[in-house]
Amino acid sequence: MFQQACAIISLFTNSLLVFLILKNSPPQLGTYKWLMLYTGLFELIYASLNIFVEPTIGTFQSVCYLFQDLRKSIFGHDITLIFILGYSSCFGFSLSIFASHFIYRYGVVNADFKQKYLSGWKQTLLYIVPVCCGVIWGMICGIALSESSLKSAFLRMYFQEAFNLKIEECVYVASYFWPLDDHGVSYPDTISFVGIGIMSLILSSSFSNVIYFGIKCYNYISQQLGELSTQSQAIKSLQAQLFYSLIFQFAIPCLLMYLPAGTIFMITMFDLGFDMEFPLLSFTVAIYPAIDPLPTIFIIKSYRRGLIGMLTCRKKNQLTTTS
């Protein structure tokens, strides 16, 4: 229920942001408007999936799992699995799109970097790479982390005790890093390590790019932007607003996505014995698309004014109707 409520809020906040981008974007925003619109439309899709998928994410010994209770789903096993894979792909896309925003913002303040790496067709990579990362993430879940008799046997008793759920009553994807052989001795599962290894590479690459280009963008703005007389005050102000918005947009996924996901991977990969029954990541991932548009709406002056204008106009109309 909590995840579905977040999905409804997300549909509202992202629809509002898309409307403001289309109606109130300043000319100085340039082509960044389309990257913001691209992200907003994606998060609408992500939120829509959250209405149909209410996954539980957690850990048990060396297993990292994501499952959907079929008793709460209106669909059968196969359709629910497709929704889960789509949901997982959206998660991978989300991790990658953050880096695209920071790379673009650095290109805006550094003309040399933009000309060398973001001119012409190269800019399309900011749109294509996140999609590729999302597809890869979903494929790993569908192939390397798919259901198996070994995983089902290991999780059967745990799901029954922790969630009062039979393994046949759910759809799941899971990594099982250290399964036991016939003699009760653990051994590394190569497929799980390779699959989660690729996911970790996507996560760490995105995080590294956000940190690297975020710092470079901050330094460039702090040291040089004020000295560039060719830049109008309006452009300088907009760039500062966009950067502050990105800082908040980095803090949100860092706390709600990067850190929880990285922690779960590390706990299970090294079999630290910490069982996470409370679906922390399930909740944080649901909250993320609901609040992610808010920094952009309230920090970018043109969007903030657009929102105030919508509210005041509505209030005036109500007063006119009443009188």
Side-chain angles (χ1 to χ4, degrees):
M1 192 66 184
F2 174 81
Q3 290 159 292
Q4 291 178 334
C6 287
I8 294 172
I9 295 172
S10 178
L11 287 172
F12 172 75
T13 56
N14 282 284
S15 296
L16 176 61
L17 177 59
V18 168
F19 177 82
L20 292 172
I21 290 172
L22 292 173
K23 294 293 184 180
N24 297 90
S25 292
Q28 299 90 347
L29 198 61
T31 56
Y32 187 54
K33 166 185 175 179
W34 303 114
L35 184 59
M36 294 175 65
L37 186 63
Y38 180 67
T39 305
L41 292 174
F42 153 75
E43 290 189 353
L44 284 174
I45 297 173
Y46 199 1
S48 299
L49 278 175
N50 268 317
I51 294 177
F52 299 103
V53 181
E54 199 172 352
T56 299
I57 306 170
T59 66
F60 174 57
Q61 296 184 21
S62 67
V63 175
C64 172
Y65 59 80
L66 180 154
F67 74 83
Q68 169 68 46
D69 188 343
L70 287 173
R71 297 173 301 183
K72 299 179 181 179
S73 176
I74 61 175
F75 303 104
H77 181 281
D78 293 342
I79 299 299
T80 302
L81 177 59
I82 292 174
F83 276 112
I84 284 181
L85 296 180
Y87 177 89
S88 301
S89 295
C90 287
F91 185 86
F93 179 98
S94 296
L95 293 176
S96 183
I97 196 66
F98 305 141
S100 293
H101 280 269
F102 277 84
I103 292 170
Y104 186 97
R105 288 308 310 148
Y106 182 64
V108 169
V109 299
N110 189 329
D112 293 335
F113 177 85
K114 184 176 182 180
Q115 180 62 32
K116 187 174 181 180
Y117 297 105
L118 298 179
S119 59
W121 65 270
K122 298 175 184 177
Q123 191 172 132
T124 61
L125 294 175
L126 298 178
Y127 298 82
I128 295 173
V129 171
V131 174
C132 293
C133 290
V135 170
I136 291 172
W137 198 283
M139 289 178 63
I140 291 172
C141 288
I143 299 172
L145 309 184
S146 60
E147 297 179 5
S148 70
S149 57
L150 182 65
K151 295 174 186 176
S152 294
F154 184 73
L155 291 171
R156 184 180 301 277
M157 187 67 70
Y158 172 72
F159 276 18
Q160 184 67 53
E161 294 177 355
F163 306 105
N164 192 27
L165 178 70
K166 296 179 181 179
I167 199 71
E168 294 81 12
E169 295 175 330
C170 72
V171 180
Y172 73 85
V173 293
S175 59
Y176 189 6
F177 288 106
W178 298 97
L180 303 177
D181 60 20
D182 295 336
H183 304 286
V185 179
S186 62
Y187 63 92
D189 180 67
T190 304
I191 296 178
S192 291
F193 273 98
V194 171
I196 297 298
I198 296 173
M199 289 178 167
S200 299
L201 181 62
I202 293 174
L203 189 152
S204 59
S205 297
S206 174
F207 186 76
S208 299
N209 276 295
V210 166
I211 293 293
Y212 177 77
F213 286 102
I215 292 175
K216 288 183 71 69
C217 189
Y218 174 80
N219 290 337
Y220 200 94
I221 289 176
S222 300
Q223 298 174 9
Q224 299 186 30
L225 191 57
E227 302 172 3
L228 296 177
S229 58
T230 57
Q231 297 282 349
S232 70
Q233 190 60 40
I235 293 177
K236 292 179 184 179
S237 175
L238 178 61
Q239 289 173 346
Q241 293 169 40
L242 288 170
F243 184 71
Y244 293 140
S245 173
L246 284 179
I247 290 176
F248 281 98
Q249 286 182 310
F250 165 70
I252 291 171
C254 182
L255 294 174
L256 299 182
M257 298 183 75
Y258 283 125
L259 292 180
T263 300
I264 284 179
F265 287 167
M266 293 292 289
I267 287 173
T268 54
M269 190 176 290
F270 293 100
D271 195 10
L272 299 179
F274 181 76
D275 300 339
M276 189 179 294
E277 294 181 14
F278 180 75
L280 175 64
L281 187 57
S282 307
F283 288 170
T284 60
V285 171
I287 294 170
Y288 154 71
I291 66 175
D292 185 57
L294 299 181
T296 302
I297 292 173
F298 291 111
I299 293 177
I300 305 300
K301 186 181 295 185
S302 58
Y303 297 157
R304 186 171 67 248
R305 287 177 174 174
L307 176 61
I308 294 173
M310 290 169 58
L311 297 175
T312 54
C313 180
R314 182 179 178 182
K315 186 175 181 180
K316 287 180 181 178
N317 291 337
Q318 289 177 343
L319 291 174
T320 303
T321 304
T322 304
S323 59

